[in-house]
Amino acid sequence: YDQAPEAKTTVQPKYPDIATRAGMEGTVWTKVSIDEAGKVTNVTISKSDAEIFNQVSIDAAMQWVFKPALKDGKPIATEVAIPFLFKMADKQIEKRSGKLAGSVSDRDSGQPIPEATVVVVGTTLVSLTNGSGKYAISGVQEGAHCPG
């Protein structure tokens, strides 16, 4: 194209509540298809730090509106990359003392379990495992967190 598409309307994704409670942050890189009218027709994920942010990123990108790209003065369909950064505001982060990390796997097969919910008992700290069954929870206070 001779002139790149320009975003006229942008929408930021909603921070998932569970990600807020878990203190999760990350970036999702989307690939957005734009038609000749500047309407978003398709969104795919190119790369993602955490799957929990993927759908809200797709939903937000689908609402964007562009001034279409131009080739020889005529609007054309094209694709752009849009990164969505999920970073918690300082007021959302509770100051705690440590980080809990590990992995979740099937007891019999040993296979990792993706998207398993991990909760620190007695707190509101929650995390989802990634595709490899790994998780990390920041902000865990010192002390025992196990059922009695």
Side-chain angles (χ1 to χ4, degrees), residues 4-126:
E6 294 177 36
K8 294 191 322 186
T9 303
T10 62
V11 174
Q12 292 304 307
K14 182 184 181 314
Y15 216 112
D17 290 337
I18 193 167
T20 301
R21 290 193 306 271
M24 294 176 70
E25 296 183 334
T27 302
V28 175
W29 291 265
T30 61
K31 183 170 79 171
V32 178
S33 299
I34 305 164
D35 68 13
E36 297 86 358
K39 182 177 187 270
V40 173
T41 58
N42 189 45
V43 179
T44 57
I45 304 297
S46 301
K47 182 180 174 189
S48 176
D49 291 337
E51 290 181 31
I52 192 162
F53 298 126
N54 290 1
Q55 189 59 52
V56 293
S57 297
I58 290 170
D59 294 345
M62 286 298 296
Q63 297 177 62
W64 284 41
V65 178
F66 289 84
K67 180 179 173 186
L70 299 177
K71 173 86 171 152
D72 298 324
K74 296 181 182 172
I76 61 167
T78 190
E79 292 182 339
V80 296
I82 303 173
F84 290 105
L85 175 64
F86 292 85
K87 180 146 177 61
M88 297 185 71
D90 287 340
K91 65 180 180 179
Q92 292 175 298
I93 301 172
E94 293 182 35
K95 302 300 180 199
R96 305 277 181 156
S97 63
K99 181 176 184 178
L100 177 67
S103 60
V104 178
S105 59
D106 181 88
R107 180 180 298 164
D108 298 323
S109 69
Q111 293 296 309
I113 302 175
E115 297 187 22
T117 302
V118 179
V119 179
V120 178
V121 175
T123 74
T124 59
L125 299 175
V126 179

Side-chain angles (χ1 to χ4, degrees), residues 120-135:
V120 178
V121 175
T123 74
T124 59
L125 299 175
V126 179
S127 179
L128 290 178
T129 58
N130 66 16
S132 302
K134 296 184 184 307
Y135 67 91

